[in-house]
Structures are given as C-alpha cells and as structure tokens.
Amino acid sequence: KGNKKRKRTEDGEKVSEDQSSSTIQQPPVKAKKAKKKERSEAEKKLSERENALEQADEEEDQELFQNKAKEKKKASQAITKSVANSATGATAKQPKRKRVADETADRRTVFVGNLPVTCTVQVLKSLFKKYGQIKSIRFRSLIPAEDTVSKKVAAIKHKVHPNSKSVNAYVVFKEECDAQKALKENGTEIASGFHIRVDTASKTSSHDSKRSVFLGNLSYDIRDDAVREHFRVCGDIVGVRVVRDGRTGLGKGFGYVLFENTDAVHLALKLNNSVLMGRKIRVQRVADKKKAQKSPDQSRAPKDRVDKKKKKEKSCSNDSFVGEKATPLKKSTKPKRLKTIPRSKAGKNK
C-alpha cells in the first residue's frame, strides 16, 4: 500500500511539473510568434525592394539589347548600301545611257507645228516619207472636247474642242540624216491658211536672236498666218511662233517671228504700235541670253566718265598718302644760354 501511495504522489508531482512547465513555456512562444510576424513584414519590404531592383535591371538589359539591335541594323544597312552601290554600278550608269538614247532619238525626231486639226497620220506620212523611213508619228497639243476625256482618247476618236484650230506633231525617222533633210518642209502650206513650222526636237537647235523679233499685246484668238501676213512686207519669214496655253489652246498674248536676214528686223521694228486684229502690237528685239548672263548689271554711264572717275580716285589716294608723311625738324645749332642767378640769391647761397 505504501508503495502505491508513493507512486501516486510521484505521478501527481510529474503532472504538476508538466502543467507548470507548460504555463512557463507559453509566454516565450507568443514572443516568438510576434518576432516571426515582425520578420515577415521586413522580409516583405526586402522582397519588394529586391523585385524593384530586378525589374530595373531587366529594363536596363532590355534597353541595352534594343540599342545593340539598332546599331546592328544601321551597320547592316550601311553595308547593304555600299554593296548595292558597288554591285549596281551599272544601274547608276543606266540613266546616263537613257539620256544619251533620248538625245539620239531627239536628233532623229522632227517637230511639226501649226497643223490643222483635221490633219491625220496618213497626211504627214505622205508629206515626209520621201525623206526616209518613218518609225512613228504622234500628235500633241490636242484640246479634248470634254474635261473627262484624256488627250489620247481625244486624238484617237477625234473629239477635239471646237475652239482649237491648230495641232502639233512629232515625226520620228529611222536615221538622223533623214530628219535633217525633212527640215526643207519648213514654211510649206499644208492647207489653206496653215504654213507649218518644221524644226528638230533636240536642244541643240539654237534660235538666232539677231534675226528674230519679239511680239507683244497680241490677241488671244490670233493665228500664226495672220502674223505672217502682217510681217511679210519686211522680208522672207522662216517661222512664226505664237505661245499658247496647253489646256485651252488660246494664245498668251506674245510670240516671235524669225526672218531669213537681219535687214528684215530693222523693217519689222518700224511696225511697232501697228494695229493687228484691233490691237496695237509691241515689236522689240530679242535679247541675247548669253550676253545678259555675262553682264547682268552694267552701269549706264559712258566709258569716258568712268575712266575720269577712276583717275580722280587714284590721284586723291596718292595725294592723301603723300600728305600723311611727316617732315623731320632740323636741330638748332645756336649755343644754349646759361642761367643767370640774381645777386640777392647768390649772396644768400654764399
């Protein structure tokens, strides 16, 4: 019995010790939990900072990658350009070849102006086929009857504006010598009141300004033949050109007349302020562009006055230069006077 009692007491003591230990151990567990909570908040802040830094690093890496990609693209473009320029050297020469081809084609073409509207391809072929083989004929300066119709369609269907009276054309020959022969047809009357103007289409055909006359204040409805008849008294006329609007076909109020001789120009200048189709026309000489470019602003004073002015300027400059020179002073050879001391002062000094 005694042993049983001892065991019971020991068990009770153990239970009491366990309870006391549990009661003692509870407060430190709470403290640990609070510390864990505090640590978790700090860890959250640290993790946020780390994430932000990582994002910034990633953005910087992306920017560097993009910059490198741009630089690579630029380098590749430069390389491709250089390769294209080196490899396509023939392509760069192509426009030059085209220009040369155009010049040769222009030398073989002939411009025919002041043709009647009723003129056809067959009429022009019959006129120029005796000079050589013709490759093509094309009409220009056509004014369609309606704005919706193009010039090509108007030329094919012959739908031309009723106010338009003249048409231009280009005749292309197979050889250049044939085109030069065709210039003989300049001034021929192809129809009643229509003297055609034949000239080469190339830019090398220079217009002689000494044999030509400028006309101003012309009527808008004037024809080339009316001008020809007005100036026929002055001399033989090579060609008449009335500048016209490409859309309406009406004249712009000015034109040119080219004579065979320079003597006809003097007679044509006398027709200044003469009346043509109810207007007083203005007749003037044609200014040479080359001379105007060489001396654009020349003084109107005669050469004698200019030479006198230059001489005066030179003389004034020489005189002023001489006058500026200084003449040296001569030293006087007279002996210097000795300073005299008054007697009163001399006695005191003694």
Side-chain angles (χ1 to χ4, degrees), residues 122-188:
Q122 293 176 356
V123 174
L124 286 176
K125 274 187 179 179
S126 63
L127 182 65
F128 290 102
K129 68 182 179 181
K130 58 188 173 183
Y131 298 108
Q133 189 176 354
I134 297 167
K135 289 187 74 176
S136 64
I137 295 171
R138 56 185 186 273
F139 288 96
R140 291 289 180 270
S141 304
L142 283 164
I143 302 161
E146 298 175 0
D147 295 333
T148 56
V149 179
S150 64
K151 291 183 178 181
K152 267 189 179 180
V153 175
I156 293 163
K157 295 183 178 181
H158 297 286
K159 291 184 177 181
V160 186
H161 200 272
N163 293 330
S164 65
K165 297 168 185 177
S166 62
V167 179
N168 300 327
Y170 288 96
V171 181
V172 183
F173 288 91
K174 193 175 181 180
E175 294 181 0
E176 186 178 347
C177 60
D178 297 336
Q180 294 295 325
K181 291 175 185 177
L183 298 176
K184 294 177 183 178
E185 295 293 331
N186 185 26
T188 57

Side-chain angles (χ1 to χ4, degrees), residues 22-139:
S22 65
T23 54
I24 291 163
Q25 287 174 1
Q26 281 177 359
V29 169
K30 288 179 181 179
K32 283 180 181 179
K33 285 181 180 178
K35 285 180 182 178
K36 283 181 181 179
K37 286 180 182 178
E38 289 176 358
R39 285 177 183 175
S40 64
E41 289 175 359
E43 285 174 356
K44 284 179 181 178
K45 289 180 181 179
L46 287 169
S47 64
E48 288 175 357
R49 288 178 184 175
E50 287 176 356
N51 291 325
L53 291 169
E54 286 177 358
Q55 288 178 359
D57 292 333
E58 287 177 358
E59 288 176 356
E60 287 180 355
D61 293 334
Q62 287 179 358
E63 287 179 357
L64 290 169
F65 181 74
Q66 289 176 359
N67 292 326
K68 286 180 180 178
K70 287 179 181 178
E71 288 177 356
K72 286 181 181 179
K73 283 182 180 178
K74 287 180 181 178
S76 64
Q77 287 176 359
I79 291 162
T80 52
K81 283 180 182 179
S82 63
V83 171
N85 291 326
S86 62
T88 61
T91 57
K93 293 178 182 178
Q94 282 180 0
K96 290 183 180 178
R97 290 178 182 174
K98 284 181 181 178
R99 286 176 187 172
V100 172
D102 293 336
E103 288 178 0
T104 54
D106 290 339
R107 288 173 186 171
R108 292 185 288 105
T109 58
V110 167
F111 171 80
V112 185
N114 196 28
L115 289 167
V117 178
T118 57
C119 185
T120 59
V121 176
Q122 293 176 356
V123 174
L124 286 176
K125 274 187 179 179
S126 63
L127 182 65
F128 290 102
K129 68 182 179 181
K130 58 188 173 183
Y131 298 108
Q133 189 176 354
I134 297 167
K135 289 187 74 176
S136 64
I137 295 171
R138 56 185 186 273
F139 288 96

